[in-house]
Amino acid sequence: MLVLNCSTKLLILEKMLKSHFPESLKVYGAVMNINRGNPFQKEVVLDSWPDFKAVITRRHREAETDNLDHYTNAYAVFYKDISAYQQLLEDRDVINWDQVFQIQGLQGELYAVSKAVANAKLLDLDIQLSSFKAVHFSPVSSVPDHSFLTGPTPRLTYLSVSDADLLNRTWSRGGNQQCLRYIAKLIECFPSVCVRDEQGNPVSWGITDQFATMCHGYTLPDHRRKGYSRLVALTLARKLQSRGFPSQGNVLDDNVASINLLKSVHAEFLPCRFHRLILTPAALSRQTHL
C-alpha cells in the first residue's frame, strides 16, 4: 500500500486516469477535487507508483468522522487488475471496516470482491448494492436555449446552505442528520444550479458530489413539466465543463422520466454501469435506524 501525497504526482495521476475513461471517472473526479483545494479531506491509496494497478480514494485518517455517516465515509475505486484491488482491501490499513461506509466505482466486480474480502476477514457486515446507468453529458458550448420552457423565463441561480434542509427532505437517500450535513457541505464546496420561484424558494435543482458527479436532480411536483429539469441539468453540466470537470451522472433503470430527459439532451449512456456498495457493520446496524 502506498499513500500518494506529492502534489506533483497527484497531478500526474489525474492525467493518467483520463486514459482509462469511463471506468476511472469516479476516482478521476475525486482526484480533481483533491488537486483543487481538497474540501472533503481526501487522499489517494495505490498498490504501487507509477505503474499502479489499483487506486482507491478515501477520507484522510486524521479527518473528523461520524461512524454512521456513509455519505462522507466514501471510497472511490478504479483498478486495472482486480487482484490488485483485492490486495488493497485485504491490507488492514486501507479501509475502516468499523464504520458505515460506501464504495463507488464503474467496474462490475466491486461487489463480489468486496464481499469476499469481508467474508475472509470474518466481518459481520450488511452489504447493499445499488446499480445505475452511467451517463456523460456532451459538451454544452453555450447558455442553454430557453425555447423548451413552458411559461415565463425562470430565475436561474445556485443553491445556498440554507436550502440543505429542503434537499435532505426530498432526496430518496436523505431524511437524516448525516445527509443534511453532507448536502450542506456539497452546496458549500461544489457547483450547483437551481430555479427559484417569486418568493426565492428553490423549486428545481441539481448539485455536484465529492466525486464530481451530478446528483440529486429534483423538481418539486407542482413545478414539473415546465422544462426546469432540462434547464438545470444543462446549466450544471456547462458549469462543470467550464471548470474542466467531467459532466457525469447516474440514473436508475426504472427512472423513465430522467432517462427520457437525458436522451433529449443527447447525453451519452456509458458502456459501464455505476455501482454503489453501502457496508454496515452489524454492531452499528441498529444505530443507523434510530
Side-chain angles (χ1 to χ4, degrees):
M1 181 197 81
L2 170 68
V3 178
L4 197 66
N5 290 318
C6 172
S7 58
T8 300
K9 291 179 179 177
L10 285 166
L11 287 169
I12 293 171
L13 175 63
E14 180 181 318
K15 293 179 181 178
M16 294 169 74
L17 288 167
K18 290 187 75 172
S19 65
H20 298 285
F21 282 179
E23 288 82 4
S24 64
L25 272 169
K26 297 297 177 184
V27 170
Y28 177 76
V31 172
M32 283 194 76
N33 282 324
I34 290 172
N35 288 335
R36 290 156 181 79
N38 200 10
F40 263 71
Q41 297 178 278
K42 297 281 189 180
E43 64 184 6
V44 173
V45 178
L46 311 94
D47 64 314
S48 60
W49 178 262
D51 298 320
F52 67 88
K53 295 180 181 177
V55 188
I56 297 177
T57 64
R58 68 181 186 186
R59 193 159 169 83
H60 272 299
R61 282 291 190 259
E62 300 77 15
E64 182 179 348
T65 59
D66 175 350
N67 282 338
L68 301 180
D69 181 6
H70 75 266
Y71 306 94
T72 305
N73 304 331
Y75 300 76
V77 172
F78 167 69
Y79 51 81
K80 304 176 192 175
D81 182 342
I82 187 63
S83 63
Y85 169 57
Q86 180 170 336
Q87 289 171 14
L88 281 180
L89 284 187
E90 291 169 347
D91 190 304
R92 62 188 301 270
D93 294 324
V94 173
I95 301 288
N96 182 353
W97 298 93
D98 296 325
Q99 60 183 194
V100 185
F101 65 97
Q102 63 172 295
I103 298 175
Q104 294 194 8
L106 290 158
Q107 292 165 287
E109 299 93 343
L110 278 180
Y111 175 78
V113 171
S114 302
K115 185 174 179 62
V117 171
N119 289 340
K121 290 177 176 285
L122 302 179
L123 299 172
D124 189 1
L125 282 173
D126 173 66
I127 305 179
Q128 296 181 1
L129 169 66
S130 300
S131 182
F132 306 73
K133 293 180 182 292
V135 298
H136 185 266
F137 281 75
S138 302
V140 182
S141 58
S142 60
V143 176
D145 181 12
H146 289 193
S147 62
F148 56 82
L149 296 171
T150 60
T153 300
R155 178 188 170 198
L156 191 64
T157 179
Y158 51 85
L159 292 162
S160 68
V161 172
S162 62
D163 300 316
D165 181 64
L166 173 62
L167 272 67
N168 183 37
R169 287 187 280 112
T170 53
W171 199 4
S172 60
R173 294 181 57 206
N176 57 71
Q177 287 301 308
Q178 288 85 9
C179 187
L180 176 62
R181 185 170 61 238
Y182 174 66
I183 289 174
K185 185 72 172 176
L186 294 183
I187 292 172
E188 177 186 359
C189 297
F190 303 128
S192 66
V193 173
C194 79
V195 171
R196 295 185 184 273
D197 63 17
E198 294 178 354
Q199 288 73 43
N201 301 311
V203 299
S204 182
W205 58 80
I207 58 178
T208 313
D209 74 7
Q210 57 193 309
F211 306 111
T213 304
M214 299 165 62
C215 64
H216 193 10
Y218 189 85
T219 300
L220 295 177
D222 289 345
H223 296 272
R224 292 174 183 170
R225 300 187 180 279
K226 298 180 180 180
Y228 291 169
S229 292
R230 176 173 177 167
L231 177 63
V232 166
L234 288 173
T235 304
L236 183 55
R238 182 171 183 264
K239 184 179 288 191
L240 287 168
Q241 292 167 8
S242 71
R243 301 183 184 190
F245 285 86
S247 46
Q248 57 171 318
N250 319 301
V251 60
L252 286 167
D253 292 83
D254 60 358
N255 191 340
V256 177
S258 292
I259 290 173
N260 288 338
L261 167 64
L262 291 164
K263 289 179 178 178
S264 74
V265 299
H266 307 293
E268 176 189 5
F269 288 84
L270 301 176
C272 51
R273 292 181 63 83
F274 167 57
H275 305 281
R276 183 183 67 231
L277 283 59
I278 298 178
L279 301 93
T280 305
L284 298 178
S285 180
R286 183 174 178 273
Q287 296 181 53
T288 63
H289 295 95
L290 291 179

